[in-house]
Amino acid sequence: MAASTWHRLRHDGAARGAAFVLGAVAAAALLAPWLSPFDPTAQPDPVALRLLSPSWAHLFGTDPFSRDVLSRVLHGARVSLGVAAGAMLLSVTLGAALGALAAVVGGWVDAAIGGLVDVLIAMPRLLVVIALVATFGTLSPWWLVALIGGSGWLTTARIVRAEFRDHLQREYVLAARALGATRWRIVWRHLLPAVAPQVAVAAALAFAAVIPLEAALSFVGLGIQPPLPSWGNILLDGTDYLTTAWWLVLAPVAAVSGTVGAALVLADRLRAAIADEEREA
Amino acid sequence: MFGRLLSRLTHAAAVCAVVAVAVFALLQSAPGDPFALALEGADVPAAVRAEWRARYGLDQPPAAQFVRWAGALARGDFGYSTSRRQPVAAVVSEAFPRTLVLVGTALVLGFAAGVWIALVQTRHHRRWPDRAFSMVTLAGVALPEFLLALLAMTWLGARWGLFPVAGVGSLGDAAAWPLWLRAVDFLWHLALPASVLSLAVASRVARHQRAALLSVMREDYVRTARAKGLGEWQVIRRHALPNAIGPVIALLGLALPSLVGGAVLIERVFGWPGMGLTLFEALLARDYPLVLAAVLLATVFAVVARTLTEFIADVVAPRRPQAT
Amino acid sequence: MRLLPSRWLILACAALGASCRAPDAAVSGGILVVSVGADAETLFPPLAVGTQSRAVTELLYDKLAEIAPSLNTTGDVGFAPKLARSWSWSADSLTITFRLDPRARWHDGRPVIAADVQYAFRVWTDSTVGAVQRQALAGVDSISAPDSLTARVHFRERTPEQFYALVYTLMPLPRHRLAGIADSALQNSSELRAPVGSGPFRFVSWTPRARLELASNPAYYLGRPGLDGVVFVVAAQGATVAARLLAGEADFLEQLSPPDFAQLPSDGRVRAVSYGGFDYAFVQFNLQEGGPLARPHAIFSDAALRRALTMATNRQALVRNIFDTLARPAIGPFSRTQWTADSMLSGIRHDPSGATRLLDSLGWRDDDRNGLRERAGKPLRFSLLVPASSRTRQAAAVLLQAQWREVGVLVDIEQADFNAFLDRAQRGAFDALIGGVRTSPSPRGVRELWGSPGPGRGRQNWGKWSNAVFDAQVDSALAASNITAVRAHFRAAYQAAIDDAPAIWLYEPRLFAGVHRRVKVAPLRPDAWWSGISTWSIDPAQRLPRDRRVPRAP
């Protein structure tokens, strides 16, 4: 089933466009060291070259420390996308595992996990992450991945649990059990692949949620630390100069919105493809 | 019916207890002193600092502090805020209604606008209104909220002076103005933050609702309704919408916790003294009693809200039987 | 093109002839609106620590005498009479007799008497109240009141700053209102939510975190203030604080930051008034390794290395980048506005090649050419701790990081929220940090900040620097009684600190207040911009509608 969903998606124009954008951003991030005209942390002349408006030499101008904005945004892509991808993988894996556990084992495990979901869903995610960051103090990118990823598994868990419970009632599962297959084999062979497209949707959504979260964290001063550039802290540097040096925020805003938008469109089209698939099944 | 209600209530109480303990433990393990900010730079002898700690009961072991706090709570005493020098209940009773108004307005406006946009998009599916709105809602979801807020405040507020820059009311004696003028002034201060939030909400809702509507529009009974000769708008409003509203109501239920947490960043940028800003500042100031009270309030509210919305969803959009 | 919405509302009100307040007949002053970023935590003078608390309490309560504009703290030179109309010293300088101004009144009409001074002294030194500045009054033995308008202060010992310490800290409190309340209950008493003071302004109302309103005291014994009232409006976000001033909603901002400067309206509606500065910022090195054994720091226990790092720092460029012309490089552990300051002290000059040579000679070499110096396998790498709340310190950290990388030093910047920052600083859990100090008129604070850790000194010396010459000179300075000797000793102490480089003295921000053009201000004192506020006035020709809204108690 997943194969035909994939096939559907491949012929969807919007999905192709979104995938292209994401691919381009990812490529830019990977090739950043070669694409950047300057070293993103180099400050050639913090007095004379500070806050230059865009020119041929500096396509997006320079920041308050005379660093080239384009280079910073390219290198920032590495950090922001890296954190986003890492957090996404973590939350999706965690969510799928817990959702599967809740659905398959049931009973008190289900209730306990459900209770945990209830507790975490009551707090806005930004505040949870801020509280955790303020508590643990260390702000390396790895910690951020862990904290953000560890707080974002709720949706995936719900989706996986709902889908699993639905599938567990289906005939093919009952048949497999009658034939003697263990629960875990069924999970592995049948349920997980069946749920894969939904999880992909959740993954895309999780990805789209993490990038603004990192930006928000940097906005309150708790995100990625200098001199490591990230889209979030480039944005923060620019908020002091919104009316005077508008180019500082233009590049990171375009990058963030572009990536988030593409991820959301992809998630949308995937969801539509799944729905179409189910309709015809 | 009663049984389910009872089980929900006990469930809620358990959730609150767990949250309270977890947040308390988290705050205890955080480095930093609630009085650091107040005593910065001053020549404060250790004895004075110790006095302050003793006064607020911070010299006792964590378990004892928690028990003390829980006991007081049972008596209706929410404790004393170290960062605000006020009873916690006073702080919360001031801040909570403000967030309620801000986020409530944004949710109402946002949902109404979002649903309307989705309806228009469905009606003109694949034509230019659909595509135009799609781009707008995508932008609304993809752009970071705080940037929108900063831009609005800087340009519309500071530069062009169309709206006030911060706060809930104009300067001067609010008491001297007639009620209607105070109300207008309040609305004028509410306009910018609520608009920015509504934009974000409307975009999300529109996207969800559009997806739900489009999937419902392909159902058989819609085709039947069309065949019966009903106009397109009527088909959408009478047949598609009631069945598609379910997921959006669920979204409403999930969004309600933000009514208490508040749109932290928006409140910060616009200086709107609501629960989000209060909670954020209390976190940074290690103001344990205030953080705990706010978190508890958020949890209670969220659980109540979810129960309500699940109930409403069941009533408005009862489950259709699954196709086997 | 700017619209003026506040006028729109008032015009609407006026046009409808609605129940707006009719303007008072004898209108003078106008209302000063001050935009601040933090609310006063308390209006109880003994506990007023933060700048905002001090501002409000000093508007509400008068002191016995006011410090001179030159901020001299030795003897009583230049102090201006306030509640004390005159004072006289005993021959042995252990007793000062203050004669109170008979015209002075509390805001409820009762006269200010010597018993109020005695009461205040008792409250200030009572440990259950927990006054923060208790130490300042430690030199006072007792206060007697021979008659109702004479307060006789008995000191334990003669010190050059005994007058300053007493007068700068102590504010007489209304005994007739507060004596009935137990000391431990004072801080939260309802009496203090509507304080009665003796100053040029009366308390009207306080909405915590939002607005605090004061109205002028028409019966003020030194003459009615030129303003009708002062309103403080609070905003949490830095951008909002400034935006209020720039948008015309507020008239005064204590400190303009460099981005605010760039946004000053071009029509001259807001002007910048410079008034010196009392802060200085520095990079503080931790001379001890963290942990229980308190071993010397592997990198920073060597003074030569600290000097090398100072040589590698281009403070001029740093200051120019962050502040443009709004700050000056700091010279030593003092600010230029303190009376003991000396700008002729010789500092360590920016000399990158000298730094390179010095580092090489110390054994820190970059033999593998990877841009990072090493010695015996240990890289020259450390962390720099900065508070997340200070944008300027963060900017300084980024600039320093780049400057030091050019000489082969690798620095990791660690940001922490302010609470965590202070906690780590106090525990010594850092390699280097960027700290800032708001000094006071008295130079004695330098002993707490830079004196060797020990009894009576160095409690805020987080880097645990210890220098016998510095300590000795500071002690001599604090014991000397003539101004020349005091200055000479402090100069020597400062030079010792500069030479031994426990810190890199980064910058002293110049304070620039943002003032609306219709407000006429007196010269602003760096430690207390509000000190002359009773002489400020608003140009009658440029009054705004909001000047008519005199704060009145509900």
Side-chain angles (χ1 to χ4, degrees):
Chain A
M1 179 172 160
S4 46
T5 316
W6 173 243
H7 180 85
R8 234 176 247 277
L9 203 60
R10 217 156 11 140
H11 291 265
D12 183 327
R16 283 217 303 269
F20 177 73
V21 169
L22 284 177
V25 173
L30 283 171
L31 298 174
W34 295 275
L35 289 175
S36 309
F38 296 90
D39 178 348
T41 59
Q43 302 176 9
D45 190 341
V47 178
L49 295 181
R50 132 183 231 273
L51 290 180
L52 296 176
S53 52
S55 62
W56 283 116
H58 297 273
L59 281 176
F60 280 101
T62 60
D63 76 352
F65 301 110
S66 77
R67 300 179 292 203
D68 177 43
V69 176
L70 176 62
S71 313
R72 282 184 70 73
V73 171
L74 283 174
H75 280 260
R78 304 188 115 192
V79 179
S80 296
L81 289 183
V83 168
M88 172 197 82
L89 282 173
L90 182 60
S91 45
V92 163
T93 315
L94 204 56
L98 286 174
L101 207 62
V104 172
V105 175
W108 69 268
V109 170
D110 188 15
I113 294 181
L116 195 58
V117 169
D118 278 343
V119 164
L120 285 179
I121 232 175
M123 288 300 300
R125 194 170 169 196
L126 180 63
L127 281 176
V128 170
V129 181
I130 286 177
L132 291 173
V133 171
T135 308
F136 291 109
T138 41
L139 300 164
S140 73
W142 295 113
W143 266 113
L144 272 179
V145 168
L147 287 177
I148 297 180
S151 63
W153 52 269
L154 303 173
T155 342
T156 317
R158 278 187 157 193
I159 294 173
V160 169
R161 178 180 176 278
E163 281 295 315
F164 266 41
R165 279 165 68 101
D166 181 45
H167 278 250
L168 279 170
Q169 313 293 346
R170 296 211 186 159
E171 289 175 356
Y172 75 92
V173 170
L174 297 171
R177 296 225 45 200
L179 285 174
T182 64
R183 280 192 299 185
W184 299 110
R185 188 181 160 78
I186 295 175
V187 165
W188 193 248
R189 275 315 250 353
H190 301 281
L191 295 181
L192 277 180
V195 125
Q198 315 267 29
V199 172
V201 173
L205 290 175
F207 187 77
V210 171
I211 297 182
L213 193 61
E214 184 265 316
L217 271 180
S218 299
F219 184 65
V220 296
L222 297 174
I224 304 276
Q225 303 305 304
L228 205 57
S230 82
W231 289 340
N233 67 28
I234 300 175
L235 256 174
L236 177 63
D237 283 340
T239 53
D240 285 333
Y241 302 94
L242 270 178
T243 46
T244 45
W246 48 268
W247 56 90
L248 291 176
V249 292
L250 189 66
V253 164
V256 167
S257 332
T259 315
V260 171
L264 287 173
V265 166
L266 204 55
D268 257 359
R269 303 314 303 160
L270 190 52
R271 212 191 331 220
I274 295 171
D276 286 343
E277 191 64 32
E278 263 185 20
R279 197 174 314 277
E280 292 186 14
Chain B
M1 178 69 165
F2 253 142
R4 271 186 52 196
L5 198 62
L6 199 63
S7 78
R8 274 240 139 234
L9 285 176
T10 37
H11 183 81
V15 169
C16 295
V18 170
V19 170
V21 172
V23 173
F24 192 85
L26 198 69
L27 284 174
Q28 285 285 340
S29 54
D33 191 323
F35 306 115
L37 264 174
L39 300 177
E40 186 229 345
D43 243 344
V44 183
V48 174
R49 215 180 267 275
E51 280 164 28
W52 283 40
R53 288 185 70 85
R55 188 173 308 157
Y56 287 102
L58 292 171
D59 51 347
Q60 296 176 329
Q65 289 184 44
F66 184 76
V67 168
R68 189 169 126 165
W69 176 79
L73 197 64
R75 289 194 306 270
D77 170 19
F78 279 85
Y80 197 79
S81 158
T82 50
S83 67
R84 300 287 202 96
R85 314 289 186 88
Q86 265 184 304
V88 167
V91 176
V92 169
S93 60
E94 262 177 26
F96 185 53
R98 294 196 189 115
T99 297
L100 212 58
V101 166
L102 173 64
V103 184
T105 314
L107 279 180
V108 166
L109 286 177
F111 268 87
V115 170
W116 179 81
I117 291 175
L119 285 173
V120 168
Q121 284 186 295
T122 313
R123 172 72 184 87
H124 302 278
H125 186 43
R126 290 193 206 285
R127 294 204 292 277
W128 71 263
D130 185 21
R131 294 197 193 286
F133 271 125
S134 276
M135 294 202 356
V136 169
T137 55
L138 190 61
V141 179
L143 277 171
E145 263 168 15
F146 65 88
L147 196 74
L148 224 56
L150 270 175
L151 283 170
M153 189 201 73
T154 315
W155 287 95
L156 295 174
R159 268 295 187 90
W160 294 332
L162 290 171
F163 288 95
V165 211
V168 284
S170 281
L171 304 165
D173 34 9
W177 286 1
L179 187 62
W180 70 267
L181 196 56
R182 266 157 50 203
V184 169
D185 181 49
F186 178 76
L187 286 176
W188 184 51
H189 277 82
L190 181 63
L192 265 189
S195 307
V196 173
L197 252 187
S198 308
L199 208 70
V201 171
S203 307
R204 275 175 186 78
V205 168
R207 295 177 64 79
H208 260 92
Q209 182 71 101
R210 177 179 175 276
L213 272 173
L214 287 177
S215 84
V216 158
M217 289 292 279
R218 284 178 258 216
E219 297 284 329
D220 289 335
Y221 59 87
V222 168
R223 251 182 274 158
T224 321
R226 264 203 216 108
K228 276 204 266 183
L230 286 174
E232 195 65 15
W233 265 123
Q234 288 199 302
V235 172
I236 298 177
R237 273 200 348 257
R238 283 229 217 109
H239 294 265
L241 188 58
N243 290 298
I245 203 89
V248 170
I249 293 188
L251 190 67
L252 183 66
L254 286 177
L256 281 176
S258 68
L259 267 179
V260 183
V264 182
L265 298 174
I266 307 267
E267 288 188 0
R268 210 160 174 233
V269 169
F270 285 104
W272 188 267
M275 279 311 295
L277 190 56
T278 305
L279 192 49
F280 179 72
E281 289 175 349
L283 262 175
L284 289 185
R286 311 275 186 266
D287 188 349
Y288 306 142
L290 186 51
V291 174
L292 284 174
V295 167
L296 217 54
L297 193 61
T299 317
V300 167
F301 203 82
V303 175
V304 166
R306 280 228 324 277
T307 319
L308 260 166
T309 43
E310 279 173 17
F311 179 67
I312 293 178
D314 265 342
V315 164
V316 166
R319 282 182 188 283
R320 290 173 282 123
Q322 285 269 16
T324 30
Chain C
M1 259 290 277
R2 228 192 129 260
L3 309 180
L4 294 162
S6 53
R7 289 190 189 176
W8 167 81
L9 267 182
I10 304 309
L11 280 175
C13 161
L16 292 167
S19 45
C20 288
R21 213 159 198 79
D24 285 341
V27 154
S28 57
I31 311 296
L32 180 79
V33 178
V34 182
S35 180
V36 294
D39 197 13
E41 320 96 47
T42 176
L43 298 183
F44 187 43
L47 296 176
V49 178
T51 319
Q52 185 58 14
S53 296
R54 280 176 52 220
V56 180
T57 48
E58 289 182 23
L59 289 181
L60 291 172
Y61 296 87
D62 261 0
K63 298 179 178 173
L64 289 168
E66 199 65 59
I67 196 173
S70 64
L71 296 174
N72 162 56
T73 60
T74 312
D76 64 358
V77 177
F79 278 79
K82 276 284 178 95
L83 283 177
R85 192 162 61 169
S86 64
W87 56 85
S88 57
W89 295 70
S90 67
D92 57 4
S93 297
L94 288 176
T95 307
I96 305 179
T97 307
F98 291 90
R99 273 173 284 284
L100 299 177
D101 194 324
R103 302 169 297 170
R105 296 275 180 278
W106 296 105
H107 294 151
D108 62 356
R110 301 275 288 268
V112 178
I113 52 177
D116 295 322
V117 182
Q118 286 177 306
Y119 175 75
F121 174 68
R122 205 203 77 212
V123 165
W124 234 281
T125 48
D126 186 353
S127 57
T128 48
V129 169
V132 184
Q133 299 290 1
R134 220 154 67 215
Q135 295 293 86
L137 298 176
V140 177
D141 180 54
S142 62
I143 301 186
S144 60
D147 62 61
S148 69
L149 287 179
T150 309
R152 192 161 286 158
V153 181
H154 304 275
F155 289 87
R156 289 205 178 97
E157 52 172 356
R158 268 193 302 275
T159 58
E161 287 189 337
Q162 69 193 78
F163 187 86
Y164 157 79
L166 170 73
V167 161
Y168 196 73
T169 312
L170 187 71
M171 285 180 226
L173 297 171
R175 182 179 168 281
H176 59 281
R177 294 188 78 95
L178 299 176
I181 307 172
D183 280 359
S184 49
L186 265 177
Q187 185 193 354
N188 305 321
S189 72
S190 56
E191 182 61 42
L192 285 168
R193 278 194 244 294
V196 166
S198 53
F201 289 90
R202 275 180 302 116
F203 176 84
V204 173
S205 73
W206 186 18
T207 315
R209 295 272 142 154
R211 178 154 66 241
L212 198 154
E213 297 180 343
L214 306 175
S216 77
N217 176 12
Y220 188 53
Y221 62 103
L222 291 177
R224 196 204 160 118
L227 299 165
D228 277 334
V230 180
V231 175
F232 294 91
V233 287
V234 187
Q237 181 91 354
T240 318
V241 177
R244 273 196 163 128
L245 173 76
L246 300 171
E249 287 176 22
D251 302 316
F252 188 88
L253 177 62
E254 174 185 345
Q255 191 169 358
L256 286 170
S257 68
D260 302 333
F261 238 95
Q263 293 184 46
L264 279 182
S266 48
D267 56 4
R269 207 172 356 108
V270 175
R271 66 184 197 278
V273 175
S274 131
Y275 63 115
F278 248 118
D279 302 341
Y280 66 92
F282 47 90
V283 175
Q284 182 162 25
F285 299 115
N286 196 353
L287 272 66
Q288 274 181 11
E289 206 83 56
L293 292 173
R295 285 192 318 267
H297 198 279
I299 301 176
F300 295 128
S301 47
D302 182 0
L305 183 124
R306 302 196 301 263
R307 279 197 286 273
L309 273 176
T310 313
M311 278 195 255
T313 310
N314 186 348
R315 293 175 308 144
Q316 291 282 3
L318 188 138
V319 169
R320 276 301 304 273
N321 173 287
I322 303 176
F323 295 98
D324 200 18
T325 52
L326 303 185
R328 290 175 288 195
I331 308 170
F334 57 90
S335 92
R336 283 176 178 77
T337 40
Q338 290 181 299
W339 68 273
T340 49
D342 187 346
S343 43
M344 303 308 289
L345 292 168
S346 58
I348 301 175
R349 264 205 307 225
H350 171 56
D351 182 9
S353 47
T356 318
R357 282 196 305 274
L358 186 50
L359 285 171
D360 281 337
S361 74
L362 288 172
W364 293 100
R365 292 172 181 285
D366 181 19
D367 293 325
D368 51 4
R369 299 244 164 268
N370 63 350
L372 177 60
R373 290 177 187 271
E374 281 152 5
R375 184 172 75 176
K378 187 170 165 54
L380 189 48
R381 180 180 184 163
F382 56 91
S383 76
L384 183 62
L385 182 65
V386 203
S389 52
S390 169
R391 303 281 294 139
T392 41
R393 290 195 226 174
Q394 285 170 15
V398 175
L399 289 165
L400 287 170
Q401 193 180 43
Q403 286 180 2
W404 289 340
R405 205 171 67 163
E406 282 171 28
V407 294
V409 180
L410 196 56
V411 170
D412 303 305
I413 300 180
E414 284 185 48
Q415 284 193 43
D417 77 272
F418 192 72
N419 262 283
F421 172 81
L422 263 187
D423 179 69
R424 285 182 58 180
Q426 285 161 359
R427 279 188 294 127
F430 65 96
D431 286 330
L433 57 79
I434 301 190
V437 168
R438 171 148 290 198
T439 60
S440 68
S442 163
R444 68 169 45 233
V446 80
R447 192 158 68 163
E448 285 299 336
L449 287 162
W450 304 104
S452 313
R457 66 171 78 230
R459 245 180 320 110
Q460 288 182 347
N461 183 352
W462 298 323
K464 303 281 183 287
W465 175 68
S466 181
N467 184 304
V469 173
F470 178 82
D471 290 335
Q473 290 290 357
V474 170
D475 287 341
S476 309
L478 293 176
S481 50
N482 86 62
I483 294 187
T484 334
V486 173
R487 256 218 192 95
H489 283 300
F490 268 117
R491 193 184 183 286
Y494 294 153
Q495 189 67 64
I498 295 171
D499 292 335
D500 206 16
I504 303 180
W505 318 104
L506 284 180
Y507 54 81
E508 275 182 57
R510 277 200 180 104
L511 286 178
F512 277 90
V515 187
H516 196 276
R517 70 173 163 211
R518 78 189 199 294
V519 180
K520 288 207 238 321
V521 302
L524 301 172
R525 234 174 62 192
D527 65 314
W529 59 263
W530 55 85
S531 56
I533 208 174
S534 53
T535 58
W536 295 12
S537 63
I538 290 184
D539 182 7
Q542 297 184 58
R543 288 170 59 87
L544 290 176
R546 61 178 156 84
D547 283 325
R548 241 174 269 134
R549 278 181 269 154
V550 180
R552 255 168 249 276

